[in-house]
Amino acid sequence: MTSINHEFETRFKLWLDELDKFINNNITSTEPVFNQAQSRLINAGGKRIRSLLFLISSQADRNREELSNRLIEIAAAIEILHMATLVHDDIADQARLRRGEPSALDEFGSEPALFIGDYFLSKAYHLFFKNLSAESLKFLSSKLPEICAGQMSEFKNRYNYDITVRDYLKQVRRKTGLLFGVASYTGAIEAGFSKASSVHYYRYGLALGMAFQIQDDLLDILGDTETMGKPPLQDIRQGIYTLPVILLLEDNELKVRFIRLIESESYLKILELLENNQYLNQARKIEEQYFKRAAAELDYFVDDPAGDDLEFILNCQNNRRE
Amino acid sequence: MTSINHEFETRFKLWLDELDKFINNNITSTEPVFNQAQSRLINAGGKRIRSLLFLISSQADRNREELSNRLIEIAAAIEILHMATLVHDDIADQARLRRGEPSALDEFGSEPALFIGDYFLSKAYHLFFKNLSAESLKFLSSKLPEICAGQMSEFKNRYNYDITVRDYLKQVRRKTGLLFGVASYTGAIEAGFSKASSVHYYRYGLALGMAFQIQDDLLDILGDTETMGKPPLQDIRQGIYTLPVILLLEDNELKVRFIRLIESESYLKILELLENNQYLNQARKIEEQYFKRAAAELDYFVDDPAGDDLEFILNCQNNRRE
């Protein structure tokens, strides 16, 4: 997979460098802990998919604005907003690792991480206020409370053996899909597209984000610490039941066995149970449906200069194994 | 003091009722926990000083806009933003009581309270985006990261026996002063005042907020559970050292005694130490200076219709005992 990563990084290198440069030069708090956290988190990596979706979409019009500071600042705000949600998720999940590095929770402690997340949120909002058009602001800000609802819903459903596929998909939509969708939509709006055209960018992002999250949840079951940057079966250990587990829980007999295995902390046996019963493949198929939905939207912008890049992003995500 | 409270409530009853009505009718999340929290927190009371400062200032021009839904929604956003900071402060401080009722932390647990705070933040921002003018938005959003810095600073300085009066005042300015200032300033801007005129509203709010916080910190030492809605000496028990304590810590001999009393949890003896050494009075004098600063700004808007109301607010705060 290294070759895909390499191609990805080469293709978007200029933009990614501009983005990181802006975030690294924009470390401005009077509170040293906030600056350390910003520097640490931005340099811990990540593919910046959400920021890229915005930047690519913002270049979707042929008479486009050159990639300006304004657009870079919006893309940075999207990344900073995303970091805020990660920092708070890690507190709720007591996650000590993030992208293979100590999480903000681990490095700074629970209470500082709380305020670090708040700071990132307010910093992101400030950059949005400063740079986004009114239509984009209205759309973005109407979706943010729903993203919090997705995070809350995931936490509330921990150790819930009755969670349904529908609950899960709604959660994934809010927790991950929305921000992917918002990034793509606001990009298209900033490119000067109408709401009617931009909505296809929204749907593309939303479906891609959902596929991405389902895949991420699968990788948590199948991946190893080295490529994932966190121990495997982390979700199940924390009582977070994702798609393959939820499919398994629909079978009452297996449900009883699953609960017994959770109680005895027999995680390797849970893995066997999932593999022997094809639930991983079933989940993979649902993931594939969302990738297809995203691909279907590509037809709407086949003539836009952004089309190839968005197709490339989709294919990279579809093939990722980490 | 009940008569002052009564006069306060009578004077602003119409506005306060509109405000509460909007917040109670605007309970709209798909996540029931968020709705419960919003309903609980808004009905737990509070004087809504920050929202009132905004509303009063927004009526400061003689050719003013009638108190519209737009202005009520902004005032509501200010209150919801304030609630967000309280919810997160209570997590950091492990505070179980807020305004005499169980805090969000106590009622919903630490992780839900984390997301409740995030939800309130994003809801407040949404209302701001929707209703504020560009100048107000820019000003407000540039101050919010500093408010987080104030919260962080207070947490970081817990059990710091070397904290200076300067550190403390900087913290109070950011933690409380700024939002009072922002509420007053954006009100004046929305009333159509120039930046140059509105800055006096900002300074009034800032000074009033600082006086308010110093007073609040004093009441934590002097008040009782019934009037304050929380046990006395809560701050000291949590390692939060406010003005009287910081003045005491400047004396090396008393500092040694203070630390010994903290270690043996002899809180009543700490109270005696503070009272016997006039530090409470010294702190009261510094508080008084900020009330005077706020009062001095009143001269700049003696002709504005808001002047009387702002003077009334100042006098109420100056006389409050709870």
Side-chain angles (χ1 to χ4, degrees):
Chain A
M1 291 303 110
T2 318
S3 66
I4 283 184
N5 276 344
H6 181 71
E7 203 186 328
F8 184 94
E9 277 163 25
T10 312
R11 186 168 184 136
F12 301 114
K13 188 172 186 333
L14 278 176
W15 291 359
L16 291 170
D17 285 352
E18 284 295 311
L19 187 65
D20 283 12
K21 203 170 80 188
F22 173 76
I23 300 178
N24 273 314
N25 288 342
N26 194 255
I27 292 181
T28 52
S29 178
T30 51
E31 180 50 55
V33 171
F34 292 167
N35 294 334
Q36 288 161 30
Q38 188 176 329
S39 172
R40 278 273 293 105
L41 284 166
I42 200 65
N43 295 312
K47 282 217 203 83
R48 326 257 188 254
I49 299 286
R50 296 157 187 82
S51 302
L52 275 179
L53 287 178
F54 171 79
L55 288 175
I56 294 168
S57 306
S58 78
Q59 300 294 293
D61 188 65
R62 294 204 178 274
N63 307 310
R64 63 184 176 262
E65 170 183 9
E66 279 291 302
L67 202 67
S68 60
N69 279 345
R70 185 177 80 87
L71 296 175
I72 290 289
E73 290 193 19
I74 297 167
I78 291 172
E79 184 65 22
I80 293 169
L81 173 67
H82 174 54
M83 293 196 309
T85 63
L86 295 184
V87 168
H88 281 182
D89 273 340
D90 285 347
I91 297 175
D93 298 342
Q94 291 291 310
R96 298 276 157 193
L97 279 177
R98 169 65 67 181
R99 295 171 178 167
E101 305 274 337
S103 65
L105 167 70
D106 193 73
E107 183 152 352
F108 301 101
S110 171
E111 296 85 355
L114 170 68
F115 296 126
I116 288 167
D118 289 352
Y119 171 72
F120 285 165
L121 277 180
S122 62
K123 197 175 170 91
Y125 284 115
H126 179 51
L127 290 168
F128 287 135
F129 279 131
K130 213 180 123 200
N131 296 293
L132 273 181
S133 67
E135 168 56 27
S136 290
L137 269 180
K138 209 178 94 189
F139 191 81
L140 170 98
S141 73
S142 71
K143 301 295 182 195
L144 294 182
E146 281 300 290
I147 295 176
C148 301
Q151 294 177 282
M152 180 68 219
S153 164
E154 178 173 286
F155 178 79
K156 212 178 51 179
N157 276 320
R158 290 197 326 168
Y159 298 103
N160 175 6
Y161 299 108
D162 298 319
I163 179 174
T164 65
V165 170
R166 194 179 143 80
D167 293 335
Y168 168 81
L169 291 174
K170 202 171 151 195
Q171 200 163 285
V172 163
R173 177 193 163 91
R174 295 188 294 182
K175 197 183 83 137
T176 309
L178 285 178
L179 190 53
F180 275 67
V182 164
S184 313
Y185 178 85
T186 52
I189 290 285
E190 298 304 318
F193 280 21
S194 69
K195 285 197 224 178
S197 300
S198 302
V199 86
H200 294 294
Y201 282 81
Y202 177 63
R203 287 190 196 138
Y204 161 88
L206 188 64
L208 181 69
M210 293 191 68
F212 177 91
Q213 186 60 56
I214 296 169
Q215 190 182 50
D216 211 54
D217 292 345
L218 272 160
L219 287 171
D220 182 77
I221 295 173
L222 297 168
D224 58 82
T225 311
E226 208 177 317
T227 51
M228 287 299 287
K230 58 181 183 177
L233 299 183
Q234 186 85 338
D235 288 340
I236 291 177
R237 286 170 206 264
Q238 289 170 340
I240 298 172
Y241 303 140
T242 58
L243 194 48
V245 174
I246 295 166
L247 291 164
L248 179 147
L249 290 169
E250 287 179 348
D251 180 313
N252 278 330
E253 207 173 298
L254 290 176
K255 185 179 188 169
V256 173
R257 270 170 70 190
F258 178 84
I259 296 175
R260 214 174 293 140
L261 292 173
I262 287 286
E263 283 165 358
S264 60
E265 298 184 18
S266 312
Y267 298 112
L268 285 181
K269 288 205 174 134
I270 289 176
L271 193 55
E272 275 174 43
L273 202 65
L274 287 166
E275 280 167 346
N276 292 341
N277 288 281
Q278 297 291 313
Y279 293 119
L280 294 167
N281 283 340
Q282 273 188 46
R284 185 75 79 188
K285 273 183 197 144
I286 297 176
E287 173 204 316
E288 198 52 46
Q289 286 170 17
Y290 284 98
F291 274 121
K292 280 191 185 138
R293 268 197 213 180
E297 295 295 328
L298 286 173
D299 294 345
Y300 288 95
F301 27 91
V302 70
D303 291 333
D304 302 346
D308 283 353
D309 281 342
L310 293 176
E311 191 175 4
F312 176 79
I313 292 262
L314 191 146
N315 290 332
C316 280
Q317 289 310 312
N318 203 350
N319 293 317
R320 95 183 161 125
R321 289 292 170 275
E322 60 175 278
Chain B
M1 290 303 110
T2 318
S3 66
I4 283 186
N5 276 345
H6 181 70
E7 203 184 329
F8 183 95
E9 277 163 26
T10 312
R11 186 168 186 136
F12 301 115
K13 188 173 188 327
L14 278 176
W15 291 359
L16 291 170
D17 285 352
E18 283 295 312
L19 188 66
D20 283 13
K21 201 171 81 188
F22 173 76
I23 300 178
N24 273 316
N25 287 342
N26 194 256
I27 293 182
T28 53
S29 179
T30 51
E31 180 51 55
V33 170
F34 292 167
N35 293 335
Q36 288 161 30
Q38 187 176 329
S39 172
R40 277 274 293 104
L41 283 166
I42 201 64
N43 295 314
K47 283 217 203 84
R48 325 257 187 256
I49 297 287
R50 296 156 188 82
S51 302
L52 275 179
L53 287 178
F54 171 80
L55 288 175
I56 294 168
S57 306
S58 78
Q59 300 293 294
D61 188 65
R62 296 205 176 271
N63 308 308
R64 63 182 175 262
E65 168 184 10
E66 279 289 302
L67 202 67
S68 61
N69 279 346
R70 187 178 78 86
L71 296 175
I72 290 289
E73 290 194 16
I74 298 168
I78 291 172
E79 183 65 21
I80 292 169
L81 174 66
H82 175 55
M83 293 197 308
T85 64
L86 296 184
V87 168
H88 281 182
D89 273 340
D90 285 346
I91 296 175
D93 298 343
Q94 291 291 311
R96 298 275 157 195
L97 279 178
R98 167 66 66 182
R99 294 171 179 166
E101 304 275 336
S103 65
L105 167 70
D106 193 72
E107 181 151 355
F108 301 100
S110 170
E111 296 86 354
L114 170 68
F115 296 125
I116 288 167
D118 289 353
Y119 171 72
F120 285 165
L121 276 181
S122 62
K123 197 175 171 90
Y125 283 115
H126 179 51
L127 291 168
F128 287 135
F129 279 132
K130 214 180 122 201
N131 296 293
L132 272 181
S133 67
E135 168 56 27
S136 290
L137 269 180
K138 210 179 92 188
F139 191 81
L140 169 97
S141 74
S142 71
K143 301 296 182 197
L144 294 182
E146 282 301 290
I147 294 176
C148 301
Q151 294 177 281
M152 180 67 222
S153 166
E154 178 173 286
F155 178 79
K156 212 179 52 180
N157 276 320
R158 291 198 323 169
Y159 298 104
N160 175 7
Y161 299 108
D162 299 319
I163 181 174
T164 65
V165 170
R166 196 179 143 78
D167 293 334
Y168 168 81
L169 290 175
K170 203 172 148 194
Q171 200 163 285
V172 164
R173 177 193 165 90
R174 295 188 294 182
K175 200 183 82 140
T176 310
L178 284 179
L179 191 54
F180 275 68
V182 164
S184 312
Y185 178 85
T186 50
I189 290 285
E190 297 304 319
F193 280 21
S194 69
K195 285 196 225 179
S197 301
S198 302
V199 87
H200 293 295
Y201 282 80
Y202 177 63
R203 289 191 195 136
Y204 161 87
L206 189 63
L208 180 70
M210 292 191 68
F212 176 90
Q213 186 60 54
I214 296 169
Q215 189 182 50
D216 210 54
D217 292 345
L218 273 160
L219 288 171
D220 182 76
I221 295 173
L222 296 168
D224 58 84
T225 311
E226 207 177 318
T227 51
M228 287 298 287
K230 58 181 183 179
L233 298 182
Q234 185 85 336
D235 288 339
I236 292 177
R237 286 170 207 264
Q238 289 169 342
I240 298 171
Y241 304 140
T242 57
L243 195 47
V245 175
I246 296 166
L247 291 164
L248 178 146
L249 289 169
E250 287 179 348
D251 181 314
N252 278 329
E253 206 174 301
L254 290 176
K255 185 179 189 171
V256 173
R257 270 170 70 189
F258 178 83
I259 296 175
R260 214 173 294 139
L261 293 173
I262 287 287
E263 282 165 358
S264 60
E265 299 184 15
S266 312
Y267 298 111
L268 285 180
K269 290 211 171 127
I270 290 176
L271 194 55
E272 275 175 41
L273 203 63
L274 287 165
E275 278 167 345
N276 292 341
N277 289 279
Q278 298 292 312
Y279 293 120
L280 294 167
N281 282 341
Q282 273 188 46
R284 185 74 79 188
K285 274 182 196 145
I286 297 176
E287 172 205 317
E288 197 52 47
Q289 284 169 19
Y290 283 97
F291 275 121
K292 280 190 184 138
R293 269 197 212 181
E297 295 296 327
L298 288 173
D299 294 344
Y300 288 94
F301 28 89
V302 70
D303 290 333
D304 302 345
D308 283 352
D309 281 342
L310 293 176
E311 191 176 3
F312 176 79
I313 291 263
L314 191 146
N315 290 333
C316 280
Q317 290 310 312
N318 203 351
N319 293 319
R320 95 184 161 123
R321 287 291 169 275
E322 59 176 278

